[in-house]
Amino acid sequence: MDAHPLAPPAPVDHHADEVATSVSPVRVGRQGIYDTERRLVAYELLFRNHGRASAELAEGAEQDHATSQVISATFGDFGVEQIAGDRLLFINLTRGFFTGALPIPCSPDQVVLELLENVEVDDEVLEGLRRLRAQGYRIAIDDFIGEEGRLPAVALADYVKIDVEAAGDDFERVLVLAREHNPTALVVVERIEDDALFARCLAAGADLFQGYGLQRPVTLEAVSLTPSQLVCLRLVRALTGTDAPLHEIEQLVASDPALSLRVLKTVSSAAAGTKSGITSLRQAIVLLGRQQLCSWVVLMLLGGVTSVDTEALTMVLARAAACSRLAPQDADLAYTVGLLSGVATVLGMSEDELVDTTGVAQSVRAALVHRRGPAGGALRAVLAYEEDDPFVITDAGHAVYEVSRAYLTALSGAMVTVSSVLERP
């Protein structure tokens, strides 16, 4: 079929090498924690990078980077419900997260913050533990083997984790010591390798158990569209400087499809959404709040984000804006639907699979997956325009010229947006 006179450029062929800078694998490890009846009650999340575990990482910045990736991937790429359902998540944190130097962007509802064994327990850390407990966070002391300097932290903990292998013959003494300094804390024994060790620790009075004898760590992997570093930097400035208006924040978030997707997912997985679900990016930003949004942006920067592929980014933004123009009565919903459709194209995911991971409202699912309502009709028309199928455009209730004008206007705006994003601030 010949292209009509105002047809857009040919659709981008999104081969892996063309979007290598925009799509990357996200990996986290997960190991179960069990009660005295060997029932699964929680998970510990572990950093994974080409087979290396968090315990093998260097101290300092590399561990901060790893921890940021675990949090960002857990709440932004996978979604808590996909990793743990309604169970607790134990996450290892470095010193900066306890002192307030690094943000903790997840709500306290489902996480346990683990203080690593190499973090010196000084006045600054103790003050941070008290502050986090006051905010509702649960605290775990990781790999306790009876060190006197860590006892003040043990006294503030909800969980004390004891490495039975490291404690050796002193295990029972270490457990008693933990009980003496905090009778209410639950004792979690790590490195349970077999039934005999489980029985020994159970007899000593341990509450929870973790190790290869119960479950070997499982690595979970998903594809992730990485947010643009420049967009993140501009958002940090806007969120921490003078009060930027909501529309400016929304424009910055909307200019990066990956960041938009993470905002939508985070609102759902961090239990910040509404019972009816999220219907627009603006609603998600309002529910998340500026401080929480800023925390996420900082973590994305720490996680080593890269710039997105310009062709893919332009396509996604043009599709979203064109849908919005064709359904002015549901402009916000239509933009979100077009955005998610574009992200699904770039990630190579089905639209219903993507919707399942974002927790958006049924109205979004109806429009995106089933092409219902004005927003769904707009998306159907825009996708048909990209495929140069005028019959489907007409069947969707739109005139070819109307869709062509909306798409080309949206494409022009998207190119300007991408160009401005890639300019140095």
Side-chain angles (χ1 to χ4, degrees), residues 71-372:
I71 296 176
S72 181
T74 301
F75 292 90
D77 291 307
F78 288 96
V80 178
E81 68 284 349
Q82 291 188 13
I83 289 184
D86 58 355
R87 296 182 176 91
L88 287 175
L89 298 169
F90 284 68
I91 302 179
N92 293 302
L93 296 183
T94 51
R95 179 184 179 88
F97 289 89
F98 288 100
T99 63
L102 295 171
I104 300 175
C106 44
S107 70
D109 300 338
Q110 204 174 339
V111 298
V112 179
L113 311 181
E114 287 196 38
L115 183 70
L116 289 169
E117 68 276 10
N118 58 3
V119 176
E120 180 184 358
V121 178
D122 54 18
D123 291 342
E124 190 177 11
V125 168
L126 290 173
E127 179 57 34
L129 292 177
R130 296 186 187 97
R131 172 177 48 80
L132 290 168
R133 282 181 58 85
Q135 294 173 4
Y137 288 97
R138 301 173 182 88
I139 304 297
I141 307 304
D142 193 27
D143 289 345
F144 178 67
I145 54 172
E147 306 96 320
E148 184 176 352
R150 304 182 75 198
L151 290 175
V154 168
L156 294 172
D158 301 280
Y159 301 86
V160 178
K161 301 187 75 174
I162 300 174
D163 185 329
V164 66
E165 181 179 293
D169 294 338
D170 289 334
F171 168 71
E172 284 80 3
R173 180 188 65 81
V174 172
L175 191 150
V176 169
L177 185 64
R179 296 281 194 214
E180 289 175 350
H181 284 78
N182 191 334
T184 64
L186 296 180
V187 172
V188 185
V189 182
E190 300 177 290
R191 294 187 186 274
I192 298 293
E193 302 294 333
D194 51 41
D195 290 344
L197 198 51
F198 180 90
R200 174 193 171 190
C201 297
L202 180 63
D207 303 293
L208 300 171
F209 308 84
Q210 179 180 357
Y212 281 18
L214 294 165
Q215 184 193 65
R216 298 184 70 87
V218 175
T219 298
L220 308 175
E221 184 167 332
V223 290
S224 172
L225 189 66
T226 53
S228 162
Q229 193 168 28
L230 289 178
V231 171
C232 290
L233 289 171
R234 290 178 178 179
L235 260 174
V236 169
R237 281 205 303 274
L239 292 165
T240 58
T242 56
D243 289 338
L246 177 60
H247 70 82
E248 180 182 334
I249 302 298
E250 183 183 10
Q251 286 175 356
L252 280 168
V253 175
S255 70
D256 191 308
L259 186 55
S260 301
L261 184 63
R262 284 194 176 187
V263 167
L264 289 168
K265 283 187 174 183
T266 300
V267 170
S268 173
S269 67
T274 63
K275 290 183 179 179
S276 60
I278 306 304
T279 60
S280 71
L281 185 58
R282 175 181 290 249
Q283 181 191 9
I285 292 171
V286 170
L287 286 171
L288 192 61
R290 292 179 183 234
Q291 184 176 5
Q292 192 93 328
L293 177 59
C294 188
S295 295
W296 271 108
V297 174
V298 169
L299 281 186
M300 289 172 189
L301 287 170
L302 283 173
V305 299
T306 60
S307 298
V308 298
D309 177 80
T310 56
E311 288 184 288
L313 176 57
T314 302
M315 178 277 293
V316 174
L317 297 181
R319 187 179 295 181
C323 289
S324 180
R325 286 179 172 274
L326 290 174
Q329 67 273 49
D330 285 324
D332 284 349
L333 173 61
Y335 187 95
T336 303
V337 167
L339 181 81
L340 292 177
S341 172
V343 170
T345 298
V346 173
L347 292 181
M349 298 173 64
S350 66
E351 291 166 341
D352 54 350
E353 181 184 3
L354 184 63
V355 166
D356 287 340
T357 71
T358 57
V360 294
Q362 285 300 316
S363 57
V364 178
R365 176 184 287 275
L368 179 62
V369 179
H370 304 294
R371 309 288 194 259
R372 294 174 184 161

